[in-house]
Amino acid sequence: LVTLYGEAPVNQFGDHFTPLYYLLAPLYLLVGDARALLVIQALFLGLAAIPLYLLARQLLPGRSTALSVALAASFLLHPALHGVNTFDFHEIALAPMLLLWALVCLESGRTRLMLVFLGLAMLAKEEVALSVAAIGLYLWLFGARARLGLLISGVALAYFGAVTFVIMPALGGGPDLARFAGLAAADDAGLLALLSGVLSNPVYAFSQVFLNPEKLAFLALLFLPVVFTPLRARARWLTAVPAFSVALLASTPVQYSIEYHYPAIMLPFVYYLAAAGLRRGQLQPRTAAGLDAPARRAPAAAAVAILVASLAMNWQYGWLLGKRYQPPPQADAHRQALVALLEAVPPQAAVSTLS
């Protein structure tokens, strides 16, 4: 039960539905310290570079090792990833690694493993089900497994509907539609008001997304480390629509900022689309005589461009030895007093605190 959302306590799953927490509970019980959650979050985010590397190897022409490593390094250097990791602990941070493993299995045809990772990803947060539905839609429309894609989309949408409109309200919560209030019809609220606002005035809805300078700057920061290669991904963009829509349709600036946890759902698709865009760029075109020298140099040049852009972004906005880097806090008198105070709290006591 959580007391952050009003006068009466609310079940945490009424705010965000995350059954995946139950799989983490044994690890937390072994350690017995809330800081274990921060370690788990960092591991989930950092280890996502492994499936990303494998995904890039599958998609890139010639299975370029240098370019695959550059994409994985760019991911780890991305300031948006640092924002996810440094802004407390959030359930959505568990999704990127699971989604990337699902995409690896999608591209390699490992259907059973893909379904396992898609199912686990949906357990991370209710909105992830929309991304899973989009992956199923992509399979249906553009993949070789149309029936499977339709099944995935149907199950994911049914899960999202049941969780969002039945289970969460029954637990005292529900979907946070207030973040989209700028699109709702005047003096109205709720899902129908949002749909009415978008359908009755699509020009206004379009302007709120694509003519908003802050949202355009946010997109630029997301895509700059991969030198805007996702723009070439074409059909695979369908998989990313729900992840980006939540942020771009929102009216609250924190939703489209790289300093908070919201980009976590977008980052897997940024790099999936980057690899797909580089693939479509045909970095290694073949001629009758094989690969010519410029073609052989193309992957290396792309890798250098991505690394330079990522290092520059990290220096300006990131936390990994950039301008914002802060060394570990020193054990000064204030910190020693704080630690002593915390140690005096009984282990089973209930504590109310601000973030």
Side-chain angles (χ1 to χ4, degrees), residues 29-288:
L29 291 174
L30 285 174
V31 178
D33 192 317
R35 286 171 290 191
L37 294 174
L38 298 177
V39 175
I40 291 170
Q41 174 172 267
L43 287 173
F44 265 77
L45 291 173
L47 291 175
I50 296 175
L52 172 57
Y53 169 81
L54 297 175
L55 182 61
R57 289 274 292 176
Q58 289 176 353
L59 288 175
L60 293 173
R63 295 179 174 268
S64 171
T65 300
L67 197 46
S68 300
V69 170
L71 284 174
S74 173
F75 175 80
L76 295 174
L77 288 166
H78 205 301
L81 186 77
H82 304 168
V84 175
N85 198 36
T86 54
F87 184 56
D88 300 334
F89 171 85
H90 292 92
E91 64 290 306
I92 195 63
L94 307 176
M97 184 178 73
L98 300 172
L99 285 171
L100 283 168
W101 275 118
L103 292 169
V104 169
C105 296
L106 181 149
E107 294 293 341
S108 60
R110 299 175 183 175
T111 302
R112 291 183 180 178
L113 267 179
M114 178 186 70
L115 295 176
V116 169
F117 284 115
L118 289 178
L120 288 173
M122 287 199 301
L123 299 182
K125 195 178 180 183
E126 66 279 356
E127 68 190 53
V128 179
L130 295 176
S131 292
V132 173
I135 292 172
L137 189 60
Y138 169 76
L139 273 175
W140 179 43
L141 294 176
F142 302 103
R145 292 161 285 176
R147 185 176 300 178
L148 174 64
L150 197 59
L151 178 63
I152 290 172
S153 291
V155 171
L157 290 175
Y159 175 85
F160 177 78
V163 165
T164 305
F165 299 109
V166 179
I167 298 176
M168 290 174 64
L171 296 175
D176 180 14
L177 299 178
R179 70 179 101 172
F180 309 112
L183 296 175
D187 301 323
D188 207 346
L191 181 61
L192 291 179
L194 292 175
L195 293 176
S196 173
V198 172
L199 295 176
S200 63
N201 198 344
V203 175
Y204 175 76
F206 179 88
S207 68
Q208 289 299 294
V209 176
F210 296 105
L211 299 182
N212 183 318
E214 292 182 354
K215 292 179 180 179
L216 294 178
F218 170 68
L219 289 176
L221 292 176
L222 282 182
F223 294 140
L224 181 58
V226 288
V227 292
F228 298 95
T229 49
L231 300 180
R232 302 175 60 91
R234 287 196 171 182
R236 286 180 173 85
W237 257 103
L238 182 59
T239 62
V241 169
F244 281 86
S245 295
V246 172
L248 296 180
L249 292 173
S251 309
T252 52
V254 294
Q255 295 275 161
Y256 42 91
S257 168
I258 63 171
E259 296 186 5
Y260 298 95
H261 59 289
Y262 299 106
I265 187 66
M266 293 172 251
L267 285 172
F269 296 104
V270 168
Y271 283 87
Y272 175 50
L273 298 175
L278 289 164
R279 173 190 180 129
R280 185 174 171 269
Q282 296 182 345
L283 295 172
Q284 291 181 312
R286 291 190 174 274
T287 65

Side-chain angles (χ1 to χ4, degrees), residues 311-334:
L311 287 168
M313 273 284 292
N314 173 73
W315 172 256
Q316 185 66 32
Y317 300 104
W319 289 88
L320 187 62
L321 301 179
K323 287 183 178 180
R324 304 179 64 185
Y325 171 76
Q326 297 176 1
Q330 302 301 311
D332 55 17
H334 177 269

